[in-house]
Coordinates of all heavy atoms in Angstrom, one line a residue:
Y1 N -29.5 92.3 -22.7 CA -28.9 92.5 -21.3 C -28.9 91.2 -20.5 O -28.0 91.0 -19.7 CB -29.7 93.6 -20.6 CG -29.4 95.0 -21.1 CD1 -30.4 95.6 -21.9 CD2 -28.2 95.6 -20.9 CE1 -30.2 96.9 -22.4 CE2 -28.0 96.9 -21.4 CZ -29.0 97.5 -22.1 OH -28.7 98.8 -22.6
Y2 N -29.9 90.4 -20.8 CA -29.9 89.1 -20.1 C -28.7 88.3 -20.4 O -28.0 87.8 -19.5 CB -31.2 88.3 -20.4 CG -31.3 87.0 -19.7 CD1 -31.5 86.9 -18.3 CD2 -31.2 85.8 -20.4 CE1 -31.6 85.7 -17.7 CE2 -31.3 84.6 -19.7 CZ -31.5 84.6 -18.4 OH -31.6 83.4 -17.7
Q3 N -28.4 88.1 -21.7 CA -27.2 87.3 -22.0 C -25.9 87.9 -21.5 O -25.0 87.2 -21.1 CB -27.1 87.2 -23.6 CG -28.3 86.4 -24.2 CD -28.3 84.9 -23.7 OE1 -27.3 84.3 -23.5 NE2 -29.5 84.4 -23.5
L4 N -25.8 89.2 -21.5 CA -24.7 89.9 -21.0 C -24.6 89.6 -19.5 O -23.5 89.3 -18.9 CB -24.7 91.4 -21.2 CG -23.6 92.2 -20.6 CD1 -22.3 91.8 -21.1 CD2 -23.9 93.7 -20.8
G5 N -25.7 89.7 -18.8 CA -25.7 89.4 -17.3 C -25.2 87.9 -17.1 O -24.5 87.7 -16.1
L6 N -25.7 87.0 -17.9 CA -25.2 85.6 -17.7 C -23.7 85.5 -17.9 O -23.0 84.8 -17.1 CB -25.9 84.7 -18.7 CG -27.4 84.5 -18.6 CD1 -28.0 83.6 -19.6 CD2 -27.8 84.0 -17.2
L7 N -23.2 86.1 -18.9 CA -21.8 86.1 -19.2 C -21.0 86.7 -18.0 O -20.0 86.1 -17.5 CB -21.5 86.9 -20.5 CG -20.0 87.0 -20.8 CD1 -19.4 85.7 -21.1 CD2 -19.8 88.0 -22.0
L8 N -21.4 87.8 -17.5 CA -20.7 88.5 -16.4 C -20.8 87.7 -15.2 O -19.9 87.6 -14.4 CB -21.3 89.9 -16.2 CG -21.0 90.9 -17.4 CD1 -21.7 92.2 -17.2 CD2 -19.5 91.1 -17.5
E9 N -22.0 87.0 -14.9 CA -22.1 86.2 -13.8 C -21.1 85.0 -13.8 O -20.4 84.7 -12.9 CB -23.5 85.6 -13.7 CG -23.7 84.8 -12.4 CD -25.1 84.1 -12.4 OE1 -25.9 84.2 -13.3 OE2 -25.4 83.6 -11.3
R10 N -21.0 84.4 -15.0 CA -20.1 83.3 -15.2 C -18.6 83.7 -15.0 O -17.8 83.0 -14.5 CB -20.2 82.7 -16.6 CG -21.3 81.7 -16.7 CD -21.3 81.0 -18.0 NE -22.7 80.9 -18.5 CZ -23.2 81.4 -19.6 NH1 -22.4 82.1 -20.4 NH2 -24.5 81.3 -19.9
R11 N -18.3 85.0 -15.3 CA -17.0 85.5 -15.1 C -16.8 86.0 -13.7 O -15.7 86.5 -13.4 CB -16.7 86.7 -16.1 CG -16.6 86.2 -17.5 CD -16.3 87.4 -18.4 NE -16.0 87.1 -19.7 CZ -15.7 87.9 -20.7 NH1 -15.7 89.2 -20.4 NH2 -15.5 87.5 -21.9
R12 N -17.8 85.9 -12.9 CA -17.8 86.3 -11.5 C -17.7 87.8 -11.4 O -17.1 88.4 -10.4 CB -16.7 85.6 -10.7 CG -16.9 84.1 -10.8 CD -15.9 83.3 -10.0 NE -16.0 83.5 -8.6 CZ -16.9 82.9 -7.7 NH1 -17.8 82.1 -8.2 NH2 -16.8 83.2 -6.5
E13 N -18.1 88.6 -12.4 CA -18.2 90.0 -12.4 C -19.6 90.4 -11.9 O -20.4 90.8 -12.7 CB -17.8 90.6 -13.7 CG -16.4 90.2 -14.2 CD -16.1 90.7 -15.6 OE1 -16.7 91.7 -16.1 OE2 -15.3 90.1 -16.3
F14 N -19.8 90.3 -10.6 CA -21.1 90.3 -10.1 C -21.8 91.7 -10.1 O -23.0 91.8 -10.3 CB -21.2 89.8 -8.7 CG -20.8 88.3 -8.6 CD1 -19.7 87.9 -7.9 CD2 -21.5 87.4 -9.4 CE1 -19.4 86.6 -7.8 CE2 -21.1 86.0 -9.3 CZ -20.1 85.6 -8.6
E15 N -21.0 92.8 -10.0 CA -21.6 94.1 -10.1 C -22.1 94.4 -11.5 O -23.2 94.9 -11.7 CB -20.6 95.2 -9.7 CG -20.4 95.4 -8.2 CD -21.7 95.9 -7.5 OE1 -22.6 96.5 -8.2 OE2 -21.9 95.6 -6.3
G16 N -21.3 94.0 -12.5 CA -21.7 94.2 -13.9 C -22.9 93.3 -14.2 O -23.8 93.7 -14.9
A17 N -22.9 92.1 -13.7 CA -24.0 91.2 -13.9 C -25.3 91.8 -13.3 O -26.4 91.7 -13.8 CB -23.7 89.8 -13.3
R18 N -25.1 92.3 -12.1 CA -26.3 92.9 -11.4 C -26.9 94.0 -12.3 O -28.1 94.1 -12.4 CB -25.8 93.5 -10.1 CG -26.9 94.3 -9.3 CD -26.3 94.9 -8.1 NE -27.3 95.7 -7.4 CZ -27.0 96.4 -6.3 NH1 -25.8 96.6 -5.9 NH2 -28.0 97.1 -5.7
E19 N -26.1 94.9 -12.8 CA -26.6 96.0 -13.6 C -27.3 95.5 -14.9 O -28.4 95.9 -15.2 CB -25.4 96.9 -14.0 CG -24.9 97.7 -12.9 CD -23.7 98.6 -13.3 OE1 -23.5 98.9 -14.5 OE2 -22.9 98.9 -12.4
A20 N -26.6 94.5 -15.6 CA -27.2 94.0 -16.8 C -28.5 93.2 -16.5 O -29.5 93.4 -17.3 CB -26.2 93.1 -17.5
L21 N -28.5 92.4 -15.5 CA -29.8 91.6 -15.2 C -30.9 92.5 -14.7 O -32.1 92.3 -15.0 CB -29.4 90.5 -14.2 CG -28.5 89.4 -14.7 CD1 -28.0 88.5 -13.6 CD2 -29.3 88.6 -15.8
A22 N -30.5 93.6 -14.0 CA -31.6 94.5 -13.5 C -32.2 95.2 -14.8 O -33.4 95.4 -14.8 CB -31.0 95.6 -12.6
K23 N -31.4 95.6 -15.8 CA -31.9 96.2 -17.0 C -32.8 95.2 -17.7 O -33.9 95.5 -18.2 CB -30.8 96.7 -17.9 CG -30.1 97.9 -17.4 CD -29.0 98.4 -18.3 CE -28.3 99.6 -17.8 NZ -27.2 100.0 -18.6
A24 N -32.3 93.9 -17.8 CA -33.1 92.9 -18.5 C -34.5 92.7 -17.8 O -35.5 92.6 -18.4 CB -32.4 91.6 -18.5
A25 N -34.5 92.7 -16.5 CA -35.7 92.5 -15.7 C -36.6 93.8 -15.9 O -37.9 93.6 -16.0 CB -35.4 92.4 -14.2
K26 N -36.1 94.9 -16.0 CA -36.9 96.1 -16.2 C -37.5 96.2 -17.6 O -38.6 96.6 -17.8 CB -36.0 97.4 -16.0 CG -36.8 98.7 -16.1 CD -35.9 99.9 -15.7 CE -36.7 101.1 -15.8 NZ -35.9 102.3 -15.4
L27 N -36.7 95.7 -18.6 CA -37.2 95.7 -20.0 C -38.3 94.6 -20.2 O -39.1 94.8 -21.1 CB -36.0 95.5 -21.0 CG -35.1 96.6 -21.1 CD1 -33.8 96.2 -21.9 CD2 -35.7 97.8 -21.8
N28 N -38.2 93.5 -19.5 CA -39.2 92.5 -19.6 C -39.6 92.0 -18.3 O -39.2 90.9 -17.8 CB -38.6 91.3 -20.5 CG -39.6 90.4 -21.0 OD1 -40.8 90.5 -20.7 ND2 -39.2 89.4 -21.8
P29 N -40.4 92.8 -17.6 CA -40.7 92.5 -16.2 C -41.5 91.2 -15.9 O -41.5 90.7 -14.8 CB -41.5 93.7 -15.7 CG -42.0 94.3 -16.9 CD -41.0 94.0 -18.0
D30 N -42.2 90.7 -17.0 CA -43.0 89.5 -16.8 C -42.2 88.2 -17.1 O -42.7 87.1 -16.9 CB -44.2 89.5 -17.7 CG -45.2 90.6 -17.3 OD1 -45.2 91.0 -16.1 OD2 -45.9 91.1 -18.2
D31 N -40.9 88.3 -17.4 CA -40.1 87.1 -17.7 C -39.4 86.8 -16.4 O -38.7 87.6 -15.8 CB -39.0 87.5 -18.7 CG -38.2 86.3 -19.1 OD1 -38.3 85.2 -18.5 OD2 -37.3 86.4 -20.0
P32 N -39.6 85.5 -15.9 CA -39.1 85.2 -14.6 C -37.6 84.9 -14.6 O -36.9 85.1 -13.6 CB -39.8 83.9 -14.2 CG -40.4 83.3 -15.5 CD -40.6 84.5 -16.4
A33 N -37.0 84.6 -15.7 CA -35.6 84.3 -15.8 C -34.6 85.4 -15.3 O -33.7 85.1 -14.5 CB -35.2 83.8 -17.2
P34 N -34.8 86.6 -15.8 CA -33.8 87.6 -15.2 C -34.0 87.8 -13.7 O -33.0 88.1 -13.1 CB -34.2 88.9 -16.0 CG -35.0 88.5 -17.2 CD -35.6 87.2 -16.8
H35 N -35.2 87.7 -13.2 CA -35.4 87.8 -11.8 C -34.6 86.7 -11.0 O -34.0 87.0 -9.9 CB -36.8 87.9 -11.4 CG -37.5 89.0 -12.0 ND1 -37.4 90.3 -11.5 CD2 -38.4 89.1 -13.1 CE1 -38.1 91.1 -12.3 NE2 -38.7 90.4 -13.2
Y36 N -34.7 85.5 -11.5 CA -34.0 84.4 -10.9 C -32.5 84.6 -10.8 O -31.8 84.5 -9.8 CB -34.3 83.1 -11.6 CG -33.5 81.9 -11.1 CD1 -33.8 81.4 -9.8 CD2 -32.4 81.4 -11.8 CE1 -33.0 80.3 -9.3 CE2 -31.7 80.4 -11.3 CZ -31.9 79.8 -10.1 OH -31.2 78.8 -9.6
R37 N -31.9 85.0 -12.0 CA -30.5 85.2 -12.1 C -30.1 86.4 -11.3 O -29.0 86.4 -10.6 CB -30.1 85.4 -13.5 CG -30.1 84.2 -14.3 CD -29.2 83.2 -13.7 NE -28.9 82.1 -14.7 CZ -28.0 81.2 -14.5 NH1 -27.2 81.2 -13.4 NH2 -27.8 80.2 -15.4
L38 N -30.9 87.4 -11.3 CA -30.6 88.6 -10.5 C -30.6 88.3 -9.0 O -29.7 88.7 -8.2 CB -31.6 89.7 -10.8 CG -31.4 91.1 -10.0 CD1 -30.0 91.6 -10.3 CD2 -32.4 92.1 -10.5
S39 N -31.5 87.4 -8.6 CA -31.5 87.0 -7.1 C -30.2 86.3 -6.8 O -29.7 86.5 -5.7 CB -32.7 86.1 -6.8 OG -32.6 84.8 -7.4
R40 N -29.7 85.4 -7.7 CA -28.4 84.7 -7.4 C -27.3 85.7 -7.3 O -26.4 85.6 -6.4 CB -28.2 83.7 -8.5 CG -29.1 82.6 -8.5 CD -28.9 81.7 -9.8 NE -27.6 81.5 -10.2 CZ -26.9 80.4 -10.0 NH1 -27.5 79.3 -9.4 NH2 -25.6 80.3 -10.3
V41 N -27.2 86.7 -8.2 CA -26.1 87.7 -8.2 C -26.2 88.5 -6.9 O -25.2 88.8 -6.3 CB -26.2 88.5 -9.5 CG1 -25.3 89.7 -9.3 CG2 -25.8 87.7 -10.7
L42 N -27.4 89.0 -6.6 CA -27.6 89.8 -5.4 C -27.1 89.0 -4.1 O -26.5 89.6 -3.2 CB -29.0 90.2 -5.2 CG -29.5 91.2 -6.3 CD1 -31.0 91.4 -6.2 CD2 -28.8 92.6 -6.1
A43 N -27.4 87.7 -4.1 CA -27.0 86.9 -3.0 C -25.5 86.8 -2.9 O -24.9 86.9 -1.8 CB -27.6 85.5 -3.1
R44 N -24.9 86.7 -4.1 CA -23.4 86.6 -4.1 C -22.8 87.9 -3.6 O -21.7 87.9 -3.1 CB -22.9 86.4 -5.5 CG -23.2 85.0 -6.1 CD -22.1 84.1 -5.6 NE -22.2 82.9 -6.3 CZ -21.2 82.0 -6.4 NH1 -20.1 82.3 -5.8 NH2 -21.4 80.9 -7.0
L45 N -23.5 89.0 -3.8 CA -23.0 90.3 -3.4 C -23.4 90.6 -1.9 O -23.0 91.6 -1.4 CB -23.6 91.4 -4.3 CG -23.1 91.5 -5.7 CD1 -23.9 92.4 -6.5 CD2 -21.6 91.9 -5.7
G46 N -24.0 89.6 -1.3 CA -24.4 89.8 0.1 C -25.6 90.6 0.4 O -25.9 91.0 1.5
L47 N -26.4 90.9 -0.7 CA -27.6 91.7 -0.6 C -28.8 90.7 -0.4 O -29.6 90.6 -1.3 CB -27.7 92.6 -1.8 CG -26.6 93.5 -2.0 CD1 -26.7 94.2 -3.4 CD2 -26.5 94.5 -0.9
R48 N -28.9 90.1 0.8 CA -29.9 89.1 1.0 C -31.3 89.5 0.9 O -32.1 88.8 0.4 CB -29.6 88.4 2.4 CG -28.2 87.8 2.5 CD -28.1 86.9 3.6 NE -26.7 86.5 3.8 CZ -26.0 85.7 3.1 NH1 -26.5 85.2 2.0 NH2 -24.8 85.3 3.4
D49 N -31.6 90.7 1.4 CA -33.0 91.2 1.3 C -33.5 91.4 -0.1 O -34.6 91.0 -0.5 CB -33.2 92.4 2.2 CG -33.1 92.2 3.7 OD1 -33.3 91.0 4.1 OD2 -32.9 93.1 4.4
E50 N -32.6 92.0 -0.9 CA -32.9 92.3 -2.3 C -33.0 90.9 -3.0 O -33.8 90.8 -3.9 CB -31.8 93.2 -2.9 CG -31.9 94.6 -2.4 CD -30.8 95.4 -3.1 OE1 -30.6 95.4 -4.3 OE2 -30.1 96.2 -2.4
A51 N -32.1 90.0 -2.7 CA -32.1 88.7 -3.4 C -33.4 88.0 -3.0 O -34.0 87.4 -3.9 CB -30.9 87.9 -2.9
A52 N -33.8 88.1 -1.8 CA -35.1 87.4 -1.4 C -36.3 88.0 -2.2 O -37.2 87.3 -2.6 CB -35.3 87.5 0.1
A53 N -36.3 89.3 -2.3 CA -37.4 90.0 -3.0 C -37.4 89.5 -4.5 O -38.5 89.3 -5.1 CB -37.2 91.5 -3.0
E54 N -36.3 89.4 -5.1 CA -36.2 89.0 -6.5 C -36.6 87.5 -6.6 O -37.3 87.1 -7.6 CB -34.8 89.2 -7.1 CG -34.5 90.6 -7.4 CD -35.3 91.2 -8.5 OE1 -35.8 90.5 -9.4 OE2 -35.6 92.4 -8.4
R55 N -36.2 86.7 -5.7 CA -36.6 85.3 -5.7 C -38.1 85.1 -5.5 O -38.8 84.3 -6.2 CB -35.9 84.5 -4.5 CG -35.2 83.3 -4.9 CD -34.5 82.6 -3.8 NE -34.4 83.2 -2.5 CZ -33.4 84.0 -2.0 NH1 -32.4 84.2 -2.8 NH2 -33.4 84.5 -0.8
E56 N -38.7 85.9 -4.7 CA -40.2 85.9 -4.5 C -40.9 86.3 -5.8 O -41.9 85.7 -6.2 CB -40.6 86.8 -3.3 CG -40.3 86.3 -2.0 CD -40.6 87.2 -0.9 OE1 -41.5 88.1 -1.1 OE2 -40.0 87.1 0.2
L57 N -40.4 87.4 -6.4 CA -41.0 87.8 -7.7 C -40.8 86.7 -8.7 O -41.8 86.4 -9.5 CB -40.3 89.1 -8.1 CG -40.8 89.7 -9.4 CD1 -42.3 89.9 -9.3 CD2 -40.1 91.1 -9.7
H58 N -39.7 86.1 -8.8 CA -39.5 85.0 -9.7 C -40.5 83.9 -9.5 O -41.2 83.4 -10.4 CB -38.1 84.4 -9.6 CG -37.9 83.1 -10.3 ND1 -37.9 81.9 -9.6 CD2 -37.6 82.8 -11.6 CE1 -37.8 80.9 -10.5 NE2 -37.6 81.4 -11.7
E59 N -40.7 83.5 -8.3 CA -41.6 82.4 -7.9 C -43.1 82.8 -8.3 O -43.8 82.0 -8.8 CB -41.5 82.1 -6.5 CG -40.2 81.3 -6.1 CD -40.0 81.2 -4.6 OE1 -40.9 81.5 -3.8 OE2 -38.9 80.7 -4.3
K60 N -43.4 84.1 -8.1 CA -44.8 84.6 -8.4 C -45.0 84.5 -9.9 O -46.0 84.1 -10.4 CB -44.9 86.0 -7.9 CG -46.2 86.7 -8.2 CD -46.2 88.1 -7.7 CE -47.4 88.8 -8.2 NZ -47.4 90.2 -7.8
L61 N -44.0 84.9 -10.7 CA -44.1 84.9 -12.1 C -44.2 83.5 -12.7 O -44.9 83.2 -13.6 CB -42.9 85.7 -12.8 CG -42.9 87.2 -12.5 CD1 -41.6 87.8 -13.0 CD2 -44.1 87.9 -13.2
V62 N -43.4 82.6 -12.1 CA -43.4 81.2 -12.6 C -44.8 80.6 -12.3 O -45.4 80.0 -13.1 CB -42.3 80.4 -11.9 CG1 -42.5 78.9 -12.1 CG2 -41.0 80.8 -12.4
K63 N -45.4 80.9 -11.1 CA -46.7 80.4 -10.8 C -47.7 81.0 -11.7 O -48.6 80.2 -12.2 CB -47.0 80.7 -9.3 CG -48.4 80.2 -8.9 CD -48.7 80.5 -7.5 CE -50.0 80.0 -7.0 NZ -51.1 80.0 -7.9
S64 N -47.6 82.2 -12.0 CA -48.6 82.9 -12.9 C -48.5 82.3 -14.3 O -49.6 82.0 -14.9 CB -48.3 84.4 -13.0 OG -49.1 85.0 -13.9
R65 N -47.4 82.0 -14.8 CA -47.2 81.4 -16.1 C -47.8 80.0 -16.1 O -48.5 79.5 -17.0 CB -45.8 81.3 -16.5 CG -45.3 82.6 -17.1 CD -44.0 82.4 -17.8 NE -43.6 83.7 -18.4 CZ -42.6 83.8 -19.2 NH1 -41.8 82.8 -19.5 NH2 -42.3 85.0 -19.8
R66 N -47.5 79.2 -15.0 CA -48.0 77.9 -14.9 C -49.5 77.9 -14.8 O -50.2 77.1 -15.5 CB -47.5 77.2 -13.6 CG -47.7 75.7 -13.5 CD -47.1 75.1 -12.3 NE -45.6 75.3 -12.3 CZ -44.9 75.9 -11.3 NH1 -45.5 76.2 -10.2 NH2 -43.6 76.0 -11.3
D67 N -50.1 78.8 -14.1 CA -51.6 78.9 -14.0 C -52.2 79.2 -15.3 O -53.2 78.7 -15.7 CB -52.0 79.9 -12.9 CG -51.7 79.5 -11.5 OD1 -51.3 78.3 -11.3 OD2 -51.7 80.3 -10.6
T68 N -51.5 80.1 -16.1 CA -52.0 80.5 -17.4 C -52.0 79.3 -18.3 O -52.9 79.1 -19.1 CB -51.1 81.7 -17.9 OG1 -51.3 82.8 -17.1 CG2 -51.6 82.1 -19.3
M69 N -50.9 78.6 -18.3 CA -50.8 77.4 -19.2 C -51.8 76.4 -18.9 O -52.4 75.8 -19.8 CB -49.3 76.8 -19.1 CG -48.3 77.8 -19.7 SD -48.6 78.3 -21.4 CE -48.3 76.8 -22.2
Q70 N -52.0 76.1 -17.6 CA -53.0 75.2 -17.2 C -54.4 75.6 -17.6 O -55.2 74.8 -18.1 CB -53.0 74.9 -15.7 CG -51.8 74.1 -15.3 CD -51.7 74.0 -13.8 OE1 -52.4 74.6 -13.0 NE2 -50.7 73.1 -13.3
G71 N -54.7 76.9 -17.5 CA -56.0 77.4 -17.9 C -56.2 77.3 -19.4 O -57.3 77.0 -19.9
M72 N -55.1 77.5 -20.2 CA -55.2 77.4 -21.6 C -55.5 76.0 -22.0 O -56.3 75.7 -22.9 CB -53.9 77.9 -22.3 CG -53.7 79.4 -22.2 SD -52.1 80.0 -22.8 CE -52.0 79.2 -24.4
S73 N -54.8 75.0 -21.4 CA -55.0 73.6 -21.8 C -56.4 73.1 -21.4 O -56.9 72.2 -22.0 CB -53.9 72.7 -21.2 OG -53.9 72.8 -19.8
A74 N -56.9 73.7 -20.3 CA -58.3 73.3 -19.8 C -59.3 73.7 -20.8 O -60.4 73.1 -20.9 CB -58.5 73.8 -18.4
N75 N -59.1 74.8 -21.5 CA -60.1 75.4 -22.4 C -60.0 74.8 -23.8 O -60.9 75.0 -24.7 CB -59.9 76.9 -22.5 CG -60.3 77.6 -21.2 OD1 -61.1 77.1 -20.5 ND2 -59.6 78.7 -21.0
E76 N -59.0 74.0 -24.1 CA -58.8 73.4 -25.4 C -59.7 72.1 -25.5 O -59.9 71.4 -24.6 CB -57.4 72.9 -25.6 CG -56.4 74.1 -25.7 CD -55.0 73.7 -25.9 OE1 -54.7 72.5 -26.0 OE2 -54.1 74.6 -25.8
P77 N -60.3 72.0 -26.7 CA -61.2 70.8 -26.9 C -60.4 69.5 -26.9 O -59.2 69.5 -27.4 CB -61.9 71.0 -28.2 CG -61.0 72.0 -28.9 CD -60.3 72.8 -27.8
L78 N -60.9 68.4 -26.4 CA -60.2 67.2 -26.5 C -60.3 66.6 -27.9 O -61.3 66.8 -28.6 CB -60.9 66.2 -25.5 CG -60.8 66.6 -24.0 CD1 -61.6 65.6 -23.2 CD2 -59.3 66.5 -23.6
P79 N -59.3 65.9 -28.3 CA -59.3 65.3 -29.7 C -60.3 64.2 -29.8 O -60.8 63.6 -29.0 CB -57.9 64.8 -29.9 CG -57.2 64.9 -28.6 CD -58.1 65.7 -27.7

């Protein structure tokens, strides 16, 4: 659904992109990419509050991934 959403967004078919990206986000809620793209599409549709909520979720997920990666590298032994 993510790839379909990207294609529809590029074609400026924002309603279809919204549906596909929402499904992608639902199927993989911990992946920040669908949330970012969905926020862009929602903004294009004039749904600013929903777009802001998706943007915030995207930022939270990116921060969480970054923190996880930093924690993993901190626990690895030095060569």
Side-chain angles (χ1 to χ4, degrees):
Y1 289 104
Y2 180 70
Q3 294 297 323
L4 176 60
L6 293 180
L7 175 66
L8 293 171
E9 181 184 12
R10 279 189 219 116
R11 290 183 174 180
R12 304 181 64 80
E13 296 178 27
F14 298 121
E15 278 298 333
R18 175 187 181 186
E19 291 176 22
L21 292 168
K23 286 181 184 178
K26 185 175 181 177
L27 289 170
N28 197 357
D30 295 330
D31 184 356
H35 296 285
Y36 173 73
R37 287 300 195 171
L38 182 55
S39 74
R40 290 171 43 103
V41 168
L42 291 168
R44 291 277 193 161
L45 291 170
L47 302 170
R48 299 195 190 289
D49 291 340
E50 290 179 48
E54 287 296 327
R55 235 181 346 269
E56 287 177 25
L57 183 52
H58 167 261
E59 290 170 7
K60 178 182 170 185
L61 291 170
V62 167
K63 182 182 182 320
S64 175
R65 280 193 174 187
R66 190 176 302 129
D67 292 347
T68 299
M69 294 303 291
Q70 287 174 350
M72 288 173 53
S73 63
N75 292 328
E76 293 176 7
L78 295 174

